[in-house]
Amino acid sequence: MNKHSLRNFLPAIILFLVLNSAFIAMMKRLEVWGFTYTVLVFGNIIVFGISFISYWMAVKGLTTKNNHAFFRWVYGSIMLKLFLLAGVAFVYILMNK
């Protein structure tokens, strides 16, 4: 991934850092409101990681000269997000009935 591609992902990185900082700073207040801050922090980390991998795959697909490779990379990034986030949600639901 080149410098320009990473610069385009910078707003997501900033949002990730701001949200996780807010969750950690407000952990006592979040518990009073009924939220579990560890779930929020780890959920945010998982979503950020999957988004970063998906973004990398989409950028990789955009830089290829082969049309079929482009569709494989882009559809692969969509399927990755779909199945991983659905799997994480399923595990969370099973653990916290």
Side-chain angles (χ1 to χ4, degrees):
M1 187 178 303
N2 62 17
K3 196 178 208 181
H4 182 67
S5 298
L6 194 56
R7 188 177 299 141
N8 289 336
F9 197 70
L10 190 61
I13 295 170
I14 292 170
L15 182 65
F16 167 74
L17 293 174
V18 167
L19 283 177
N20 271 355
S21 299
F23 292 153
I24 292 171
M26 296 177 48
M27 68 177 111
K28 296 294 183 197
R29 187 174 293 168
L30 287 171
E31 286 180 355
V32 170
W33 291 341
F35 295 100
T36 307
Y37 73 93
T38 54
V39 173
L40 292 172
V41 169
F42 286 117
N44 199 16
I45 291 170
I46 290 169
V47 169
F48 176 77
I50 292 171
S51 297
F52 183 76
I53 293 169
S54 177
Y55 179 75
W56 174 80
M57 289 174 71
V59 167
K60 186 97 168 158
L62 285 171
T63 59
T64 187
K65 295 184 189 303
N66 186 350
N67 291 340
H68 298 292
F70 165 74
F71 283 110
R72 278 195 306 266
W73 281 108
V74 171
Y75 283 138
S77 73
I78 293 169
M79 296 304 284
L80 175 84
K81 283 190 284 191
L82 174 71
F83 287 122
L84 284 180
L85 291 177
V88 168
F90 182 71
V91 168
Y92 176 75
I93 290 168
L94 285 179
M95 291 178 68
N96 297 310
K97 290 184 178 184

